[in-house]
Protein backbone atom coordinates (compact mmCIF):
# COMPACT_ATOMS: atom_id res chain seq x y z
CA UNK A 1 0.00 0.00 0.00
CA UNK A 2 2.71 2.49 0.88
CA UNK A 3 4.54 2.02 -2.43
CA UNK A 4 1.38 2.77 -4.42
CA UNK A 5 0.62 5.86 -2.35
CA UNK A 6 4.20 7.12 -2.68
CA UNK A 7 4.24 6.50 -6.43
CA UNK A 8 0.89 8.27 -6.85
CA UNK A 9 2.12 11.29 -4.90
CA UNK A 10 5.40 11.39 -6.83
CA UNK A 11 3.99 10.86 -10.34
CA UNK A 12 0.60 12.44 -9.77
CA UNK A 13 -1.35 9.55 -11.30
CA UNK A 14 -1.73 5.78 -11.27
CA UNK A 15 -0.55 3.66 -14.20
CA UNK A 16 -3.26 1.03 -13.62
CA UNK A 17 -6.78 1.05 -12.26
CA UNK A 18 -9.97 -1.00 -12.31
CA UNK A 19 -12.19 -0.77 -15.39
CA UNK A 20 -15.46 -2.43 -16.37
CA UNK A 21 -15.71 -4.20 -19.73
CA UNK A 22 -18.25 -6.05 -21.86
CA UNK A 23 -16.98 -9.29 -23.40
CA UNK A 24 -18.81 -10.87 -26.34
CA UNK A 25 -20.77 -14.10 -26.07
CA UNK A 26 -18.75 -17.13 -27.13
CA UNK A 27 -15.63 -15.94 -25.31
CA UNK A 28 -14.47 -17.87 -22.27
CA UNK A 29 -13.48 -15.19 -19.75
CA UNK A 30 -12.26 -16.29 -16.32
CA UNK A 31 -10.82 -14.41 -13.37
CA UNK A 32 -7.06 -14.24 -13.76
CA UNK A 33 -7.12 -14.17 -17.59
CA UNK A 34 -4.68 -11.76 -19.21
CA UNK A 35 -5.74 -8.84 -21.40
CA UNK A 36 -3.64 -7.64 -24.31
CA UNK A 37 -3.25 -4.38 -26.20
CA UNK A 38 -1.47 -3.94 -29.56
CA UNK A 39 0.90 -1.37 -28.03
CA UNK A 40 2.37 -3.99 -25.68
CA UNK A 41 2.56 -6.91 -28.13
CA UNK A 42 2.97 -10.21 -26.27
CA UNK A 43 3.15 -8.53 -22.85
CA UNK A 44 -0.14 -8.45 -20.90
CA UNK A 45 -1.67 -5.00 -20.35
CA UNK A 46 -4.04 -6.14 -17.62
CA UNK A 47 -5.81 -8.96 -15.86
CA UNK A 48 -9.46 -9.86 -15.26
CA UNK A 49 -10.42 -9.72 -11.60
CA UNK A 50 -14.08 -10.76 -11.72
CA UNK A 51 -16.50 -11.99 -14.42
CA UNK A 52 -20.29 -12.26 -14.54
CA UNK A 53 -22.70 -13.45 -17.21
CA UNK A 54 -24.68 -10.61 -18.81
CA UNK A 55 -27.63 -10.46 -21.20
CA UNK A 56 -25.34 -10.39 -24.27
CA UNK A 57 -22.15 -12.13 -23.21
CA UNK A 58 -20.20 -11.21 -20.09
CA UNK A 59 -19.20 -8.25 -17.97
CA UNK A 60 -15.86 -8.10 -16.22
CA UNK A 61 -13.85 -5.97 -13.85
CA UNK A 62 -10.20 -5.81 -14.77
CA UNK A 63 -7.07 -4.02 -13.62
CA UNK A 64 -5.57 -2.50 -16.75
CA UNK A 65 -2.92 0.02 -17.77
CA UNK A 66 -4.67 3.35 -18.29
CA UNK A 67 -2.68 4.00 -21.47
CA UNK A 68 -4.11 0.83 -23.05
CA UNK A 69 -7.66 1.84 -22.21
CA UNK A 70 -7.05 5.32 -23.65
CA UNK A 71 -5.71 3.72 -26.85
CA UNK A 72 -9.07 1.95 -27.14
CA UNK A 73 -8.08 -1.61 -28.02
CA UNK A 74 -8.04 -4.45 -25.50
CA UNK A 75 -8.35 -8.16 -26.21
CA UNK A 76 -8.96 -11.26 -24.11
CA UNK A 77 -6.25 -13.92 -23.99
CA UNK A 78 -4.17 -12.78 -27.00
CA UNK A 79 -3.85 -9.75 -29.25
CA UNK A 80 -6.09 -11.68 -31.68
CA UNK A 81 -8.66 -12.65 -29.02
CA UNK A 82 -12.17 -11.29 -28.47
CA UNK A 83 -12.24 -7.48 -28.29
CA UNK A 84 -13.42 -5.89 -25.05
CA UNK A 85 -15.77 -2.90 -24.89
CA UNK A 86 -15.25 -0.33 -22.15
CA UNK A 87 -18.30 0.26 -19.93
CA UNK A 88 -18.88 2.99 -17.37
CA UNK A 89 -18.32 2.17 -13.72
CA UNK A 90 -21.42 2.33 -11.50
CA UNK A 91 -19.75 5.03 -9.38
CA UNK A 92 -17.99 8.32 -10.16
CA UNK A 93 -14.21 8.75 -10.12
CA UNK A 94 -12.83 12.05 -8.89
Amino acid sequence: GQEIVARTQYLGKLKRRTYRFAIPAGANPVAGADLYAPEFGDQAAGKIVNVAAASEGFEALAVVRSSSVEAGELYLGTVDGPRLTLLELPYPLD
Side-chain angles (χ1 to χ4, degrees):
Q2 289 178 337
E3 179 183 339
I4 294 170
V5 171
R7 186 179 312 138
T8 302
Q9 289 175 347
Y10 177 72
L11 296 175
K13 65 179 182 175
L14 292 173
K15 289 183 177 183
R16 296 174 179 254
R17 75 171 184 83
T18 302
Y19 293 91
R20 181 176 162 224
F21 295 98
I23 302 173
N28 189 21
V30 294
D34 288 329
L35 303 178
Y36 292 87
E39 65 186 22
F40 288 106
D42 292 338
Q43 181 181 0
K47 193 170 286 283
I48 292 180
V49 177
N50 196 3
V51 179
S55 59
E56 296 182 21
F58 302 90
E59 287 191 15
L61 292 176
V63 176
V64 183
R65 293 177 187 251
S66 298
S67 62
S68 297
V69 173
E70 291 167 6
E73 289 186 65
L74 279 168
Y75 300 90
L76 176 63
T78 68
V79 179
D80 297 328
R83 187 171 181 170
L84 280 64
T85 304
L86 181 65
L87 300 173
E88 289 187 28
L89 289 171
Y91 51 84
L93 291 175
D94 295 328

